[in-house]
Amino acid sequence: YRRVIAVYPRSPLALNNLGDVLMTAGRKEEAMQKFDETIAIDSTFVTAHLNRGLALQDAGKIDEGIAELRTAMVLLEQKNIFNVEQLAVYYYFGEALETAGKDPDEVIEVFRTATTRLPNAAEPHYNLGVKLQKYGRTTEAEQEFLRATELEPLYVDAWYHLAGLQSEQGKLREAVSSLETVLSLNPAYPKAQEHLDAIRRLSGGV
């Protein structure tokens, strides 16, 4: 990246990526400088704001980090989304709000917004489901996991979480079916066989 910058000193991509490498190496002040340089050249560079926000959080500057992550999310709202990787901005922002003790409804709404940006992608629905499940919103979480499996029938993690919620609600036949799907997709999936056996014992072999 330094070689690229030597030739193209105002390359936002190279500067941001160098900052990312420096951050990973623990050279945090240098990394922040590169993120600042990137934003000074291109204030709409979403990933630079994301990285700067994460760096601020790492430095214990929680509110500043949240503000920077919010900027990244607002900028992303103005752009077209083409892949699920771009949605990471929403997840980092939502997690930052949660860490700061913000209202769970606000956290969930961020994750819900991610599902609207790529409506036919399974991952955002899965992530929203996990967050809803964490806050005890079982029925909503189940719907999100179901939606994830509809969009991506091979999404084994979604099937497993769905089985857990179905079991909690006493929907044992559905839970068994979901766990059987998990094991058909990945016979070695951790705890799946154990949970399936437990449900069958409790339910008399459903």
Side-chain angles (χ1 to χ4, degrees):
Y1 290 125
R2 291 193 190 281
R3 288 186 179 184
V4 173
I5 293 168
V7 179
Y8 303 103
R10 293 180 60 80
S11 167
L13 181 61
L15 287 165
N16 175 72
N17 288 357
L18 176 57
D20 193 30
V21 171
L22 290 167
M23 191 70 189
T24 301
R27 297 162 64 175
K28 300 176 182 180
E29 290 185 9
E30 292 176 78
M32 184 65 79
Q33 181 183 9
K34 296 307 172 188
F35 300 144
D36 289 343
E37 289 178 33
T38 304
I39 293 168
I41 293 168
D42 182 359
S43 62
T44 68
F45 201 107
V46 174
T47 308
H49 287 285
L50 170 61
N51 286 337
R52 190 174 189 276
L54 295 175
L56 286 166
Q57 281 195 299
D58 184 74
K61 300 177 180 180
I62 304 301
D63 289 340
E64 291 180 55
I66 288 176
E68 196 69 54
L69 291 170
R70 188 186 299 276
T71 297
M73 191 179 71
V74 169
L75 288 170
L76 189 61
E77 293 282 341
Q78 301 167 13
K79 299 178 183 292
N80 292 325
I81 297 250
F82 300 103
N83 57 65
V84 292
E85 287 77 14
Q86 291 171 283
L87 295 174
V89 172
Y90 290 96
Y91 308 140
Y92 280 118
F93 181 58
E95 294 294 344
L97 292 176
E98 186 175 65
T99 300
K102 302 297 183 182
D103 189 327
D105 287 341
E106 185 178 358
V107 174
I108 288 169
E109 189 56 34
V110 173
F111 279 80
R112 194 181 304 281
T113 301
T115 67
T116 68
R117 298 306 310 275
L118 281 179
N120 295 320
E123 183 179 294
H125 291 280
Y126 170 77
N127 289 336
L128 174 58
V130 170
K131 197 58 62 179
L132 287 164
Q133 184 178 20
K134 179 176 181 179
Y135 288 112
R137 295 167 63 165
T138 303
T139 301
E140 293 174 81
E142 182 181 8
Q143 291 304 310
E144 294 304 323
F145 291 136
L146 278 169
R147 182 59 178 152
T149 59
E150 289 169 0
L151 291 167
E152 178 49 75
L154 303 182
Y155 204 149
V156 65
D157 289 337
W159 282 110
Y160 186 73
H161 277 265
L162 176 61
L165 286 177
Q166 290 167 333
S167 177
E168 288 176 19
Q169 297 175 83
K171 300 177 180 179
L172 300 185
R173 290 186 182 278
E174 291 91 334
V176 166
S177 177
S178 295
L179 285 169
E180 287 175 341
T181 300
V182 170
L183 291 167
S184 71
L185 295 171
N186 180 2
Y189 195 94
K191 301 286 187 179
Q193 186 65 58
E194 179 183 332
H195 289 166
L196 178 58
D197 292 341
I199 292 173
R200 283 175 169 162
R201 284 195 301 271
L202 289 171
S203 61
V206 169

